[in-house]
Amino acid sequence: MNIFDIIGPVMVGPSSSHTAGAVRIGLISRRLFGKEIKEAKIFFSGSFLDTGKGHGTDKALLAGLLGMKVDDENIPKSFEIAKDKGVKFSFSGIDLGDVHPNTVKLILSGDKDVKPLEIIASSIGGGRIQVNELDGIQVNFCGDYPTLIVHNVDKPGHVTEVTSLLAHENINLATMQLYRKSRTGGNAVMVIECDSEVPEHIISYLRYMSGILRVTYLSMED
């Protein structure tokens, strides 16, 4: 634990978990979506649902989806800014079961030819977050590193192909996690946190590889 875990980040809002964490969930989700958000359906669970309104969690999360950071003075105006930009948004309650109390589910949509993205994430204190699910598949990453998420057909060889490609570009892997829906067949997900940004041409190449279903990239660059 360091001092920032205790006092939280420099921020606009009263709570590092309900406000700053919510902004960060929105911002990370925006980067994961990778396209212009046209509509955001937001479902609050647990403490986010019970006490979030008083902490401005709704405005904070929407602010993040609009690209604001935790110290942006326009966070309290996020509803008005979203309406001016033509971004549709809605808030509902949901029971997500045995999850962290500060958890939210988001369904993000863009243009008609862009596949919607479904995200479940939690604010775990001190402005830190954890992404728990992407499109119904369990994951676990914090959004502190450039992160490559590769959805692929669950067959031998895909993990080696992806990691070899990154190694060829001298991209060092910080962590790597593998997930799949079933033991045999079906689809799988690689979550690869990297020490440096992954170039766009590598991401584009991955998208056209045989057996790769979807590639999502979380950049740390604005």
Side-chain angles (χ1 to χ4, degrees), residues 102-174:
N102 303 328
T103 298
V104 61
K105 176 179 178 179
L106 301 97
I107 301 176
L108 306 179
S109 302
D111 292 328
K112 291 182 179 179
D113 59 341
V114 177
K115 182 181 177 182
L117 181 65
E118 183 177 306
I119 302 166
I120 296 178
S122 303
S123 174
I124 58 177
R128 297 171 300 159
I129 73 163
Q130 178 176 298
V131 180
N132 307 310
E133 283 190 21
L134 283 177
D135 287 334
I137 296 180
Q138 179 185 355
V139 296
N140 181 7
F141 63 95
C142 60
D144 290 337
Y145 298 90
T147 305
L148 189 65
I149 301 103
V150 181
H151 297 246
N152 59 278
V153 176
D154 189 14
K155 291 184 177 180
H158 292 310
V159 173
T160 301
E161 289 176 339
V162 173
T163 55
S164 296
L165 182 61
L166 295 175
H168 186 265
E169 291 290 322
N170 293 315
I171 298 170
N172 193 50
L173 277 58

